[in-house]
């Protein structure tokens, strides 16, 4: 089995499903993790799903990913729009990154239109709800060989 794909979630995403379902949907982070685990098993890849409300902890996990992960799916929450530290860690780790947002940040307040992560990301998915994570997993999973 190939190296693990790390799925990182930033601040407040542990509360998904409890509030603002019209923006973020009704699925909880546990629901999203279960759907990702099921799809990962079908694709034959290993994933590790984590969430933190702390910028430094997210930076630590990105640094650790250098030796252990083949790619990162990242919803950095509000840190997307503020964190040079997370952007630097992603640049230094040199792994492929897919940035995911549940909501379409471009239909929202102007401060959500700026992302420090997008210039480093291989791809950006937003506005497709929890399915965005599954599309990101498809994008990072190795393609099956034709042999
Ligand atoms: O759309 C996304 O996925 C966001 O990354 C979510 C962040 C927001 O700051 C970004 O601009 C876009 C906020 C996550 C807040 O999580 C909640 C969880 C439960 C209820 C309400 C919000």
């Amino acid at each position: 089995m190939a190296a693990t794909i790390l799925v990182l979630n930033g601040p407040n995403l542990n509360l998904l499903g409890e509030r603002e379902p019209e923006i973020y949907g009704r699925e909880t982070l546990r629901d999203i993790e279960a759907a990702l685990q099921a799809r990962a098993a079908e694709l034959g890849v290993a994933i590790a799903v984590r969430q933190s409300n702390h910028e430094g902890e997210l930076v630590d996990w990105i640094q650790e990913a250098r030796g252990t992960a083949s790619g990162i799916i990242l919803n950095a929450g509000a840190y997307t729009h503020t964190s040079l530290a997370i952007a630097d860690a992603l640049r230094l780790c040199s792994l492929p990154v897919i940035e995911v947002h549940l909501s379409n940040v471009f239909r929202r307040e102007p401060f959500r239109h700026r992302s420090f992560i997008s210039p480093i990301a291989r791809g950006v998915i937003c506005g497709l709800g929890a399915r965005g994570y599954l599309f990101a997993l498809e994008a990072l999973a190795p393609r099956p060989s034709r042999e």
Side-chain angles (χ1 to χ4, degrees):
M1 193 176 268
T4 301
I5 294 171
L6 185 59
V7 185
L8 290 184
N9 294 281
N12 298 309
L13 289 163
N14 54 314
L15 300 178
L16 274 182
E18 291 183 20
R19 295 246 181 126
E20 300 182 333
E22 66 288 356
I23 301 176
Y24 297 113
R26 296 196 179 279
E27 284 160 299
T28 65
L29 196 54
R30 276 175 183 247
D31 296 332
I32 293 172
E33 176 168 3
L36 280 168
Q37 290 289 4
R39 187 66 187 123
E42 289 171 359
L43 292 168
V45 297
I47 62 166
V49 182
R50 295 186 185 159
Q51 186 277 331
S52 178
N53 293 324
H54 304 280
E55 187 176 19
E57 190 162 36
L58 292 162
V59 169
D60 286 344
W61 287 339
I62 292 165
Q63 289 185 6
E64 285 166 22
R66 265 188 306 175
T68 58
S70 58
I72 301 174
I73 296 168
L74 175 62
N75 184 349
Y79 286 144
T80 304
H81 318 298
T82 63
S83 180
L84 282 170
I86 290 174
D88 281 347
L90 291 170
R91 193 174 291 108
L92 290 166
C93 91
S94 305
L95 288 169
V97 176
I98 308 288
E99 177 183 352
V100 172
H101 300 286
L102 295 153
S103 63
N104 180 350
V105 287
F106 298 103
R107 294 180 70 175
R108 302 182 65 192
E109 305 94 320
F111 65 83
R112 294 186 202 277
H113 300 178
R114 180 181 70 168
S115 166
F116 285 108
I117 294 164
S118 298
I120 300 150
R122 176 173 290 185
V124 181
I125 298 168
C126 76
L128 302 178
R131 286 192 309 162
Y133 287 84
L134 295 171
F135 298 143
L137 182 60
E138 305 274 348
L140 286 181
R143 290 171 190 274
S145 72
R146 288 174 186 271
E147 294 174 275

